[in-house]
Amino acid sequence: MKRVLLDTQVLLWWLSDDPRLGIKAREIILDTRNAVYISAATTWEISIKKSIGKLSAPDNLDSIVEDEGFDKLPISLFHGEHAGDLPHIHRDPFDRMLIAQAQAEGLTLLTNDGKIRQYAIKTQDAEK
């Protein structure tokens, strides 16, 4: 059993059946023995980018995440403090939160972002 946190881009690829999402990544997400988490930071990032016209994504992500059988990962005060204490390799605050959550919760972050791999967390390449 794996415990994985989907990066925002990975969630969007999954929902749109984008071919950039690799076979191994799809297998991990589809395997019902695995716990697949979606962070509140992901839905927050998507909603902000949708509202300013930088992204097209489905509405009702809360329901979609539930329908997909994914686990919802709230943001705690500890996560917030930890995100602020991370080395400044990555400047994106949403990605920094995902990194902090993966570290704090012992999750593997499924991502295609090379900068994230520079942190002390387990990652899985989403394009493989």
Side-chain angles (χ1 to χ4, degrees), residues 36-52:
V36 179
Y37 292 87
I38 306 299
S39 172
T42 292
T43 57
W44 178 22
E45 178 180 16
I46 290 169
S47 68
I48 287 173
K49 289 183 177 177
K50 279 177 61 176
S51 73
I52 60 174

Side-chain angles (χ1 to χ4, degrees), residues 37-116:
Y37 292 87
I38 306 299
S39 172
T42 292
T43 57
W44 178 22
E45 178 180 16
I46 290 169
S47 68
I48 287 173
K49 289 183 177 177
K50 279 177 61 176
S51 73
I52 60 174
K54 289 183 99 176
L55 180 66
S56 175
D59 294 325
N60 301 319
L61 281 174
D62 188 17
S63 297
I64 292 170
V65 165
E66 210 166 280
D67 292 346
E68 291 289 333
F70 299 150
D71 295 306
K72 299 172 187 174
L73 182 60
I75 298 172
S76 70
L77 294 176
F78 178 77
H79 294 148
E81 285 183 322
H82 190 58
D85 290 338
L86 289 170
H88 291 280
I89 299 166
H90 209 307
R91 300 182 71 84
D92 183 302
F94 300 108
D95 287 332
R96 291 175 63 81
M97 179 55 70
L98 295 178
I99 294 161
Q101 288 181 304
Q103 280 184 338
E105 306 302 326
L107 304 173
T108 298
L109 187 52
L110 192 56
T111 184
N112 69 320
D113 187 330
K115 285 185 181 178
I116 288 175

Side-chain angles (χ1 to χ4, degrees), residues 8-18 21 26 46 57-58 61 64-65 68 70:
T8 303
Q9 188 63 55
V10 174
L11 175 62
L12 292 170
W13 285 352
W14 173 259
L15 295 177
S16 67
D17 198 26
D18 193 300
L21 186 61
R26 286 179 192 278
I46 290 169
L61 281 174
I64 292 170
V65 165
E68 291 289 333
F70 299 150

